Amino acid sequence: MILLAFDTAQGALSAAVHDGEGEIASAFEARTRGHAEALMPMVEVVLAEAALGFSDLDALAVTVGPGTFTGLRVGLAAARGIALSRELPLVGVTTLEAVAEPVAAEADETILASFDARRDEVYMQAFSANRTPQTAPLLVNLGDVAAHLPHSPFVLAGTGSELVAARLAAAGLDCRMAECRPQPDAAIVARIALRRLGEQGPDAFRTAPAPLYIRAPDAKLPGGRDPDEAT
């Protein structure tokens, strides 16, 4: 199964092609803006490196959040458009899952994925060493981080790691930093998506995934409507 994955949800842009056995081509760059203009050129580059076209794809995957409102809309709109035109299954993967996946954790450690959400808050989720979720995705004030977590050693991943580490240390909880990228990577998203396709089958992913908004968007349409009401 040939799968194209991409991520525009946080502070990076990435795309990857995976054939079910391994990565064929990928690209990653730190980017906080301009995702809309740069996404499709990057996708075309990785497809060209893989010597493939859109007609060769069997499935798609995209990150669904938490992340920036604009970034999420860019990625989801592109993924939905390609999936609809090619009648492809589309797997949604959260950004927290994506940064937790490559973490090497000991059996007694809890993986804590987090992103800086500004306003003295973080998006976070705890996972067991085998990546089973231990909490739901949360938006938490930094002062309340420890209250939402199990008491065990932690491995921290994501852009919120340094903020979280300070709070865990103040609460007397052991933690260490993971040695992996703090931003989601489409190559990892592809790996998660292929695993889910194998477990659940393509037909489980015929409906496009919804964005994961833990914090309501700040932007409003005329009349005070949420942006999603226009879609």
Side-chain angles (χ1 to χ4, degrees), residues 99-111:
V99 295
E101 175 73 16
V103 174
E106 301 295 332
D108 65 337
E109 291 181 315
T110 295
I111 299 169

Side-chain angles (χ1 to χ4, degrees), residues 31 45 88 113 129 139 150 161 170 182 195-196 209 215 231:
R31 176 181 288 269
V45 166
L88 298 174
L139 175 64
S161 292
R195 185 168 65 235
R196 291 182 180 163
R215 174 192 285 159
T231 61

